[in-house]
Amino acid sequence: MMVCTPRLLVLTGLAVLAACSGQTDDSQDNDAAVERIALPVQVLEAGPGSIAQVVEAQARLRSTRHQELVILAPGIIRELHVMDGQVVEAGDPLLEMDPLPDDMDAVAEAENALRRAQRHLQRLEALQERISGAVAQSDIDQANDGVEDAQLQLTRAQRDRSNRQLVAPFHGVIEGVEVTIGQRLDRGTLFARIQDVASFTIHAKIPETVLPRLRTGLPVDVHPVGAEIAQGTIISLPAAVDRERGTGTLIVRVDEPGGDWRPGSFAVLRIHTERIEGDVVLPRGAVLQQRNRSYVWVVVADPEDPDHHYVDRRWLRLGRGDEDSVVIEDGLQAGDLVVRDGTSGLREQVPVRLHEQTYQPPPAEEKEEDETTSGRGGRPSS
């Protein structure tokens, strides 16, 4: 019996070791099984935020000023520098004309006529100075009138010559060009129209129920279809409300529009009326509904094994918000991990694993400092 005892002890020890080894293997298998059945989810951290209250409207862009470009002197088109829809800068040439055949020498003829009138007046004045009463005062007055008329004719001829080149009065877009090179244009003919593109106004119809939330000076995001977004300001509120349609017209002005804006383009307006602040703000997509009650799934670490996580349902009381975000008044705290994607198949206490968590790199200054003080592997560089 005494001889067998050591064997029994050895066997017992081996059995105990085998049992311990079996427990370790079982634990590892259980962990692996949990990992296999844990559902992957994407989470976001609940925290404070603000929600901009926005009123949307639609309207067309209007230029703040326009001008008709009228021919000021008759002529024949020699050069045409613009076409319909072209954008020009102030001072850009639009049209150049040659004078009509009868007006080819108008300036030279006016200069000669002025010289003749001046010489005639000088002769009369010299004669009157030599012989008092030799020239009637009415003749001298008539000669003075002749000089003034000749000067006016010369001024007009010179103006006509300069007016045969038409330039843009301001930065704008040209519309209504319907002429061709070689065409004769008479004085007063409408050549084209120009609309300013340096600033715009928008006259938008707004529902009567929204008007109390608006005031002059509020910022407005203006997004013309297919063009750059720019910011404007409400400059006028409706003076009256259309009772049949239940709307009023407000006016928005944009002084720094996009370079591709054009009068008449259709635009969407987003008017920022106020901002809602909240200690916890979530995207609407993370909030689920069950029997008209709102809830979210919150990821909780297993207290016995922090490496494992499960989900817990949290019922919510919602506050104000917009179509994208909402303030959570009760049911969540800042810092809670809320399931954003992967909610399908979740229920209470279901194990989950966090999937595709976003890594936030340190600021550039800290990173540069770390690289200068450390070598590879995080050890101080020598």
Side-chain angles (χ1 to χ4, degrees):
M1 294 294 295
M2 295 297 294
V3 175
C4 294
T5 300
R7 292 183 179 179
L8 290 174
L9 291 174
V10 171
L11 291 174
T12 302
L14 291 174
V16 170
L17 289 174
C20 292
S21 176
Q23 290 177 357
T24 302
D25 292 342
D26 290 343
S27 176
Q28 292 175 350
D29 291 343
N30 289 337
D31 289 345
V34 169
E35 286 297 323
R36 284 195 297 271
I37 66 172
L39 300 178
V41 295
Q42 292 183 347
V43 299
L44 58 86
E45 183 176 346
S50 63
I51 303 172
Q53 291 286 281
V54 175
V55 175
E56 287 197 352
Q58 299 174 347
R60 294 190 180 276
L61 302 179
R62 298 187 183 187
S63 175
T64 55
R65 60 174 172 166
H66 64 276
Q67 181 177 324
E68 292 186 340
L69 303 175
V70 177
I71 299 301
L72 301 177
I76 297 174
I77 299 176
R78 181 177 74 252
E79 293 187 33
L80 186 60
H81 298 287
V82 294
M83 62 181 63
D84 206 40
Q86 184 172 334
V87 177
V88 295
E89 300 293 335
D92 283 354
L94 309 178
L95 174 76
E96 295 183 42
M97 296 190 300
D98 290 326
L100 299 176
D102 294 341
D103 299 330
M104 294 291 290
D105 301 322
V107 173
E109 291 176 357
E111 290 174 342
N112 291 333
L114 177 59
R115 284 193 290 268
R116 289 194 299 269
Q118 289 172 336
R119 286 197 298 268
H120 177 60
L121 175 60
Q122 291 169 357
R123 285 196 299 268
L124 293 179
E125 290 177 338
L127 181 59
Q128 177 68 11
E129 186 176 350
R130 289 197 306 270
I131 305 173
S132 179
V135 180
Q137 184 61 41
S138 59
D139 292 338
I140 295 178
D141 293 340
Q142 186 176 2
N144 273 315
D145 292 340
V147 171
E148 292 179 0
D149 290 343
Q151 183 63 59
L152 289 174
Q153 289 297 326
L154 176 59
T155 301
R156 181 174 180 178
Q158 292 172 335
R159 185 175 63 245
D160 285 350
R161 182 171 60 185
S162 63
N163 284 339
R164 289 191 178 95
Q165 182 185 45
L166 197 61
V167 299
F170 48 79
H171 175 51
V173 59
I174 300 296
E175 298 177 347
V177 178
E178 297 181 356
V179 298
T180 58
I181 293 177
Q183 182 176 342
R184 169 177 172 157
L185 299 179
D186 294 323
R187 191 189 311 272
T189 301
L190 177 63
F191 162 64
R193 290 176 298 276
I194 182 171
Q195 295 205 61
D196 192 353
V197 293
S199 61
F200 288 83
T201 59
I202 304 102
H203 296 234
K205 302 289 186 182
I206 302 296
E208 181 180 4
T209 54
V210 175
L211 294 178
R213 297 162 53 188
L214 306 181
R215 66 179 187 277
T216 57
L218 282 179
V220 181
D221 291 333
V222 183
H223 188 182
V225 176
E228 300 176 33
I229 299 176
Q231 190 172 86
T233 305
I234 296 177
I235 62 171
S236 176
L237 294 175
V241 173
D242 186 333
R243 296 302 178 185
E244 293 184 0
R245 295 182 173 85
T247 60
T249 301
L250 63 79
I251 302 176
V252 174
R253 183 182 176 96
V254 181
D255 289 322
E256 296 183 1
D260 51 358
W261 284 30
R262 297 294 179 267
S265 297
F266 193 75
V268 176
L269 283 66
R270 292 174 57 87
I271 306 169
H272 301 268
T273 59
E274 62 176 319
R275 299 194 73 85
I276 302 172
E277 305 292 336
D279 293 332
V280 177
V281 176
L282 288 182
R284 292 274 186 187
V287 180
L288 306 175
Q289 299 290 326
Q290 180 177 336
R291 296 179 181 177
N292 296 324
R293 297 181 66 189
S294 301
Y295 70 95
V296 293
W297 292 110
V298 175
V299 175
V300 181
D302 189 333
E304 297 181 358
D305 187 355
D307 291 334
H308 291 159
H309 300 81
Y310 61 89
V311 291
D312 183 24
R313 189 197 307 265
R314 299 283 179 84
W315 298 102
L316 307 176
R317 180 159 57 89
L318 305 184
R320 298 174 63 190
D322 60 12
E323 61 183 13
D324 299 319
S325 305
V326 62
V327 174
I328 308 301
E329 294 187 347
D330 189 34
L332 276 183
Q333 294 181 348
D336 286 342
L337 295 181
V338 177
V339 176
R340 180 184 61 189
D341 293 313
T343 58
S344 178
L346 295 184
R347 60 184 184 276
E348 294 281 2
Q349 305 298 310
V350 165
V352 295
R353 67 176 185 273
L354 306 185
H355 184 57
E356 295 184 4
Q357 295 191 63
T358 303
Y359 168 69
Q360 297 293 338
E365 293 80 1
E366 297 180 8
K367 186 175 181 180
E368 291 177 358
E369 181 180 352
D370 184 65
E371 290 176 351
T372 57
T373 57
S374 300
R376 293 183 179 179
R379 298 178 181 177
S381 58
S382 57

